[in-house]
Amino acid sequence: MIVMGIDPGSRATGYALITKKGGRFQLIEAGVIKTNTKKTIPERLLEIHTGLQEIISEHKPSTIGIETVFYHHSSEAIVRLSQARGVALLACAQAGIPAEPYNPTTIKKSVGGHGKATKKEMIRLVSRLLGLKKDLTSDAADATAIAITHLMHSSFKRKLR
């Protein structure tokens, strides 16, 4: 089973694809869709949507985890984040792949053991869980943490059935 994680953002949308083999998480691919900040918001949203469609089409994940919108001090930032999340959800729906939402605290608890892990801690933990020699970028690490969380929660749900 290939699990995709998406960390939506209007400037940078992180994505990651992982699987689990022999009890270990394995990274298939992780990266960032960076938008041109000189373009209009609709053009940037199209870049995100097109990028995610290409990644989903290439890797054909079984399921997708996506970060929820969280509190931010700027209402404008929340709107842009929500728009980026919306086009990400649209790309998932167009591919017919279910997307499960996870809030930042759940992601941090699942990967870091507590809900207050810092960005640096999360990057380090994700890189160690995958056995990587080099740390992922922040957005790619966040997306990977979302995918790991989704895989952990999905496995847990299946074991209960």
Side-chain angles (χ1 to χ4, degrees):
M1 172 169 46
I2 295 175
V3 175
M4 183 175 189
I6 301 174
D7 178 31
S10 63
R11 292 181 183 167
T13 292
Y15 69 90
L17 295 120
I18 65 167
T19 190
K20 195 171 183 182
K21 290 183 183 174
R24 292 195 52 94
F25 298 109
Q26 291 189 328
L27 181 66
I28 297 167
E29 182 180 328
V32 180
I33 300 167
K34 291 187 179 181
T35 63
N36 184 340
T37 56
K38 293 181 180 171
K39 289 186 175 181
T40 66
I41 292 294
E43 291 170 319
R44 289 163 61 187
L45 293 173
L46 180 60
E47 288 179 35
I48 294 164
H49 182 261
T50 302
L52 288 173
Q53 279 185 315
E54 290 170 2
I55 294 159
I56 291 168
S57 177
E58 179 183 345
H59 293 284
K60 298 177 181 23
S62 307
T63 185
I64 298 172
I66 188 168
E67 189 171 51
T68 60
V69 175
F70 53 92
Y71 173 79
H72 199 278
H73 63 278
S74 164
S75 59
E76 187 177 326
I78 290 174
V79 169
R80 273 185 268 144
L81 177 60
S82 297
Q83 290 169 333
R85 188 172 185 277
V87 298
L89 289 170
L90 175 61
C92 297
Q94 286 174 322
I97 302 171
E100 283 290 320
Y102 293 96
N103 66 53
T105 303
T106 299
I107 296 162
K108 289 177 180 184
K109 281 181 182 177
S110 298
V111 175
H114 60 89
K116 304 282 187 201
T118 66
K119 278 258 188 219
K120 280 187 174 184
E121 284 178 293
M122 291 299 288
I123 291 168
R124 185 179 50 78
L125 287 166
V126 164
S127 297
R128 298 312 168 265
L129 278 172
L130 296 169
L132 303 177
K133 292 182 181 3
K134 185 179 174 188
D135 286 345
L136 295 168
T137 64
S138 178
D139 294 307
D142 287 348
T144 306
I146 294 163
I148 289 170
T149 299
H150 187 48
L151 189 56
M152 291 169 69
H153 286 254
S154 297
S155 298
F156 181 69
K157 289 176 188 173
R158 279 195 303 276
K159 286 179 185 173
L160 290 176
R161 290 183 188 161

